[in-house]
Amino acid sequence: MNQGGYFIFSQEHPLTTALLTQNYWTCNEENERIHYNLTTYALEGERKVTWIVDGVIKYHRTMSSIINSLSNAGFIINKMLEPIPSKEIMNQYPSYKRYIHKPDFLLIKAKK
């Protein structure tokens, strides 16, 4: 990468990749998601999950590992986003309300 160039990427959010089990949500009596079951966040490494098919391998890293790796490689973070849907989208698609508990993606813009 050229000095002064940008590195812009998105990845699955570390809160999403943290779990070692697929028991992601606690629901109320009406089966509405009330909170995300965050576990094993600090344990980095391989995760095997079902994502369309069984046995998909992902690698979990904490937020500090992600940011420190960029910093150690000489990048400066310009912007970081953890997007959630707008109120209009959540009203139109009620299942999207789960994203107020936890974003699915992390977007980073860094400069070398």
Side-chain angles (χ1 to χ4, degrees):
M1 168 170 269
N2 294 336
Q3 206 57 22
Y6 286 99
F7 178 38
I8 301 170
F9 68 97
S10 67
Q11 68 173 70
E12 198 166 11
H13 199 286
L15 296 177
T16 302
T17 61
L19 280 68
L20 288 169
T21 68
Q22 293 191 34
N23 182 20
Y24 301 130
W25 297 97
T26 294
C27 298
N28 63 17
E29 295 79 28
E30 290 81 38
N31 205 32
E32 298 169 321
R33 293 178 171 132
I34 57 174
H35 65 81
Y36 185 67
N37 298 324
L38 179 61
T39 61
T40 59
Y41 177 80
L43 301 177
E44 295 188 324
E46 184 178 292
R47 306 289 197 263
K48 288 186 182 175
V49 301
T50 299
W51 186 69
I52 302 174
V53 297
D54 290 337
V56 174
I57 297 174
K58 298 180 180 185
Y59 292 89
H60 168 66
R61 299 290 179 258
T62 63
M63 186 74 78
S64 59
S65 286
I66 294 163
I67 299 303
N68 289 333
S69 293
L70 289 167
S71 178
N72 291 340
F75 287 96
I76 297 169
I77 307 297
N78 291 99
K79 192 163 195 169
M80 191 166 74
L81 298 173
E82 299 169 288
I84 61 168
S86 67
K87 288 181 182 179
E88 294 79 23
I89 292 294
M90 289 188 278
N91 287 336
Q92 188 173 358
Y93 304 100
S95 67
Y96 280 39
K97 290 180 182 177
R98 70 181 180 264
Y99 297 112
I100 64 169
H101 297 292
K102 176 199 66 65
D104 274 354
F105 292 96
L106 174 66
L107 291 80
I108 295 178
K109 178 182 179 183
K111 189 171 186 174
K112 188 78 170 189

